[in-house]
């Protein structure tokens, strides 16, 4: 009997996802940013908390033509280079709030440890307060959510008095087996 077709290892993104922010520039965040930019061709902005930004971005390369931040992958799971729109410690820049509605992100990936989730929830909540009226709030994806991370976000947003909140989703575990390597991530496993 005929074999079913093999699943596409790089399924297409929904058409309404075009510009994303990745909050957290550790191994998982850099690998997420690289995958979204390289594999899916999305415009990606990478943010790290100011206390950790200098370490997270010290080894980041720059594209010679554009001067933009550059990430590289050197494994079969993620191989190649991709430029980012932004890499830094200004969350409003990462979310597009500094450049008008056309530059807003439509999706936010939060790639942090459990201990940083509340801080990231607060930052996203402050941004939601500033979100232009009439513009759809971004989808927030916790990668990893560590089982219950979405509850941490919603609890923080409620404590902040937010009435309108983004849709939040979570993965139970990081979707990559990765280690930081120079200006990118060596991704051995991509789920």
């Amino acid at each position: 009997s005929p074999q079913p077709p093999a699943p596409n290892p790089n399924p297409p993104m929904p058409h309404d996802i075009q510009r994303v922010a990745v909050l957290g520039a550790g191994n998982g965040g850099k690998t997420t940013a690289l995958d979204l930019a390289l594999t899916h061709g999305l415009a990606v902005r990478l943010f790290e908390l100011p206390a950790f930004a200098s370490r997270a971005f010290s080894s980041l390369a720059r594209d010679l033509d554009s001067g933009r931040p550059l990430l590289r992958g050197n494994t079969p799971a993620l191989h190649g280079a991709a430029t980012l729109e932004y890499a830094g410690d200004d969350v409003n820049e990462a979310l597009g709030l500094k450049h008008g509605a056309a530059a807003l992100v439509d999706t936010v990936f939060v790639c942090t440890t459990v201990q940083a989730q509340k801080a990231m929830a607060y930052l996203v909540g402050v941004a939601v307060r500033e979100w232009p009226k009439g513009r759809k709030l971004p989808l927030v994806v916790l990668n990893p959510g560590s089982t219950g991370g979405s509850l941490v976000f919603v609890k923080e947003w409620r404590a902040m008095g937010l009435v309108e909140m983004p849709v939040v989703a979570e993965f139970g575990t990081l979707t990559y087996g990765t280690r930081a390597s120079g200006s990118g991530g060596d991704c051995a496993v991509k789920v």
Side-chain angles (χ1 to χ4, degrees), residues 9-105:
N10 300 311
M13 285 287 180
H15 295 292
D16 58 345
I17 298 178
Q18 296 184 6
R19 176 171 280 130
V20 301
V22 177
L23 308 185
N27 298 347
K30 285 180 182 172
T31 302
T32 299
L34 176 63
D35 187 23
L36 294 171
L38 180 66
T39 308
H40 301 286
L42 301 178
V44 178
R45 298 173 180 163
L46 183 59
F47 166 83
E48 183 54 85
L49 293 168
F52 306 107
S54 63
R55 181 173 179 195
F57 299 129
S58 64
S59 63
L60 210 57
R62 295 272 170 188
D63 180 73
L64 296 176
D65 295 326
S66 68
R68 288 185 169 183
L70 180 72
L71 290 175
R72 291 188 179 97
N74 300 311
T75 64
L78 279 175
H79 188 79
T83 57
L84 305 177
E85 283 193 341
Y86 172 78
D89 63 1
D90 184 334
V91 72
N92 288 330
E93 179 78 29
L95 297 174
L97 286 168
K98 288 192 168 186
H99 302 287
L104 292 172
V105 299

Side-chain angles (χ1 to χ4, degrees), residues 121-141:
Y122 177 79
L123 289 174
V124 172
V126 170
V128 166
R129 285 183 178 154
E130 303 298 320
W131 212 256
K133 300 297 178 213
R135 289 300 304 252
K136 182 179 174 185
L137 292 172
L139 169 67
V140 176
V141 180

